[in-house]
Amino acid sequence: MLSFEQKLAVIESFPELQRKDVSLGRTNFHYEESAHEKKSVVHHLHPNGNGYVFAGLVPGIATDDKGLVNIRDYSEDELRSLIAKSISALAIAPPEKPESKKKKKRKPPQEERWIGPDNAVLTLLFEEDLWYLYADLNLESAFETYEEAEIYLQEEQFTRA
């Protein structure tokens, strides 16, 4: 196991890391050029030799639920390699999230004619936030949405004129 001073020497050999002393004699090292919100590479390096390296973005490295690896028993080469991989992973911008692909809803017409069995004609009309279904001047039904009216008409074997 490397001592605190030996681990510190390895970590400080990475000029891109900035030291941040924290409570209880522990030290963190940040990578300010990170392309991610995460900037901490070395977390809570303690004078007893214990500490953590963030490897949550490094494929093939087992981490805890915070993406950290305990480096207590790491050799110099292992520590150097892990830190280099962590910095490399943080330097790569995360993939852009695809814009939500909204289904293009076709805007329903304000009035439609539907033809059904025996050539019956119904008129679907949008008025005052509701869809009304008329047979000539007689109101047959009312629907809250166009989709509800469309489903009803299709179930009754009507088609758009």
Side-chain angles (χ1 to χ4, degrees), residues 4 6 13 16-17 30 48 62 65 70 82 93-94 102 111 128 136 146:
F4 173 75
Q6 290 169 317
S13 72
E16 55 268 65
L17 297 180
H30 291 202
N48 69 8
D65 58 345
N70 189 309
L82 183 61
K102 295 179 182 175
E111 183 176 333
E128 301 173 14
D136 293 321
Y146 177 82

Side-chain angles (χ1 to χ4, degrees), residues 114 120-125 127 131-143 149 152-153 156 158:
W114 289 71
V121 176
L122 296 178
T123 302
L124 183 61
L125 182 63
E127 293 178 325
W131 290 92
Y132 295 98
L133 190 58
Y134 292 96
D136 293 321
L137 297 175
N138 298 324
L139 178 64
E140 291 289 321
S141 194
F143 303 92
Y152 170 80
L153 286 163
E156 296 297 318
F158 278 78

Side-chain angles (χ1 to χ4, degrees), residues 28-141:
N28 291 345
F29 285 85
H30 291 202
Y31 176 52
E32 296 299 331
E33 301 300 316
S34 176
H36 300 262
E37 285 186 36
K38 182 75 171 167
K39 294 188 183 305
S40 180
V41 173
V42 177
H43 183 72
H44 288 176
L45 180 63
H46 193 276
N48 69 8
N50 201 18
Y52 302 89
V53 170
F54 176 73
L57 300 174
V58 179
I61 302 289
T63 66
D64 67 10
D65 58 345
K66 294 180 183 177
L68 299 173
V69 175
N70 189 309
I71 58 168
R72 180 180 204 55
D73 297 322
Y74 269 48
S75 70
E76 180 178 341
D77 290 339
E78 290 171 326
L79 180 58
R80 190 174 304 284
S81 174
L82 183 61
I83 291 171
K85 288 176 183 176
S86 178
I87 292 170
S88 292
L90 288 169
I92 298 170
E96 290 186 29
K97 294 180 181 174
E99 291 184 28
S100 62
K101 294 182 180 179
K102 295 179 182 175
K103 289 183 180 177
K104 290 186 179 181
K105 286 187 176 180
R106 67 181 157 88
K107 186 176 178 182
Q110 299 301 302
E111 183 176 333
E112 274 186 344
R113 296 210 186 288
W114 289 71
I115 299 176
D118 300 323
N119 289 324
V121 176
L122 296 178
T123 302
L124 183 61
L125 182 63
F126 183 71
E127 293 178 325
E128 301 173 14
D129 297 329
L130 288 175
W131 290 92
Y132 295 98
L133 190 58
Y134 292 96
D136 293 321
L137 297 175
N138 298 324
L139 178 64
E140 291 289 321
S141 194

